[in-house]
Amino acid sequence: DFKNVFIGGRAMSTSNLLYSAVVLDDDNRAKLIKFVDGIIDISSTWKRIAHHMTMGFKKPVPDHLRNDIGKSVQLNVTELGISNDAIAVKVEGYHSDNKIPHITVAIPKDGKPFNSNLITKWYPVHQITLTGTVMEVKEIYSGQEKENV
């Protein structure tokens, strides 16, 4: 049983690294959802996510960007991607290992955020800027419970 201790945005523990990312705060998450809702109707049965842009799945922040951990960075939304399995926005402005850097906005009730990687239909949109924090997101164990931090 252990908890993460955050020092300058770094999680200090032996827990499992889930991903490194630029994580949106609540205001920027709401801004993104409102922006997309203004363009298309997202079914009320779909789950809104709009949480982060993955930098690396099960990978730490790259060495040359380690000093950015805990810092705010800007992402520019340039396109909207739509499929039957996910809705996402393409973003520019910061490192990502993904072929198409994006933020998953919504998925069907039983869908997987990964499906944003499979979107093939992207549409240019009026550009907006979002702010997020560079982080390493880890899985921690506390008794029998698992939680992401």
Side-chain angles (χ1 to χ4, degrees):
D1 296 21
F2 54 85
K3 286 278 186 189
N4 281 329
V5 177
F6 284 90
I7 301 171
R10 286 189 180 89
M12 308 303 287
S13 77
T14 56
S15 59
N16 295 334
L17 177 66
L18 297 176
Y19 55 87
S20 55
V22 176
V23 179
L24 303 180
D25 62 20
D26 289 343
D27 289 345
N28 279 273
R29 181 176 183 269
K31 177 181 177 179
L32 177 55
I33 291 170
K34 183 178 178 181
F35 175 75
V36 173
D37 278 340
I39 299 171
I40 59 168
D41 264 337
I42 301 175
S43 170
S44 61
T45 63
W46 281 41
K47 180 181 176 186
R48 289 354 183 233
I49 300 174
H51 181 259
H52 66 273
M53 177 202 74
T54 302
M55 294 171 59
F57 182 67
K58 294 192 177 184
K59 290 183 177 177
V61 172
D63 287 344
H64 70 286
L65 297 172
R66 303 273 325 149
N67 288 337
D68 287 352
I69 294 175
K71 292 182 181 170
S72 290
V73 297
Q74 292 191 326
L75 300 173
N76 296 313
V77 173
T78 60
E79 297 182 33
L80 176 66
I82 303 169
S83 75
N84 291 330
D85 299 313
I87 296 170
V89 291
K90 189 182 290 189
V91 293
E92 297 175 347
Y94 203 73
H95 170 82
S96 175
D97 288 346
N98 283 334
K99 190 171 100 176
I100 298 175
H102 66 275
I103 299 170
T104 301
V105 177
I107 55 173
K109 187 177 68 144
D110 297 321
K112 303 280 184 223
F114 172 82
N115 289 328
S116 290
N117 291 296
L118 308 177
I119 294 173
T120 57
K121 294 182 179 168
W122 294 91
Y123 305 93
V125 292
H126 174 75
Q127 193 168 313
I128 65 164
T129 301
L130 302 170
T131 302
T133 304
V134 178
M135 294 184 177
E136 291 178 342
V137 178
K138 299 182 179 195
E139 187 173 56
I140 64 169
Y141 295 88
S142 168
Q144 297 298 319
E145 300 171 27
K146 266 193 331 188
E147 60 184 287
N148 297 341
V149 193

